[in-house]
Amino acid sequence: MAKSNLTEWLRTTLELLVDNPDAVRLNEIEGEQARVYEVTVAKSDIGKVIGRNGKTADSVRWILYAIAGKERKRSVLQIVDNYQD
């Protein structure tokens, strides 16, 4: 899966999880050995993205790890609580 396809998959997945998909912000930071995805969502949706005991976020991370393994590059998902009140 190409980088842009992975980014679009992640954005689509996150938008389907939340009630306010327009508030989903995805920042991709490319490094030599890793690709970091910083995710920001609406304050009311943060729990939906993280899930009970972090299970939803962990599931998304595992899929990223699997895809990144094929590309021989590490992918990291960070959920940023940088929302405005």
Side-chain angles (χ1 to χ4, degrees):
M1 185 177 285
K3 179 173 75 169
S4 62
N5 288 341
L6 179 57
T7 303
E8 285 306 310
W9 171 83
L10 182 57
R11 179 179 305 283
T12 302
T13 301
L14 294 169
E15 288 175 352
L16 290 171
L17 287 172
V18 299
D19 291 332
N20 189 0
D22 294 334
V24 173
R25 300 288 177 255
L26 183 60
N27 183 26
E28 182 179 351
I29 302 167
E30 185 78 33
E32 284 186 33
Q33 297 179 352
R35 185 178 304 131
V36 178
Y37 294 98
E38 293 180 338
V39 175
T40 306
V41 297
K43 185 176 183 178
S44 60
D45 288 329
I46 195 81
K48 292 179 178 104
V49 172
I50 295 172
R52 186 171 300 207
N53 296 323
K55 288 184 180 181
T56 303
D58 285 345
S59 297
V60 173
R61 285 184 178 112
W62 276 109
I63 294 170
L64 282 176
Y65 296 157
I67 295 169
K70 290 184 178 184
E71 297 177 356
R72 304 238 187 256
K73 194 161 200 174
R74 186 169 175 237
S75 287
V76 179
L77 177 68
Q78 293 182 342
I79 300 169
V80 181
D81 60 350
N82 192 21
Y83 38 78
Q84 302 287 329
D85 282 336

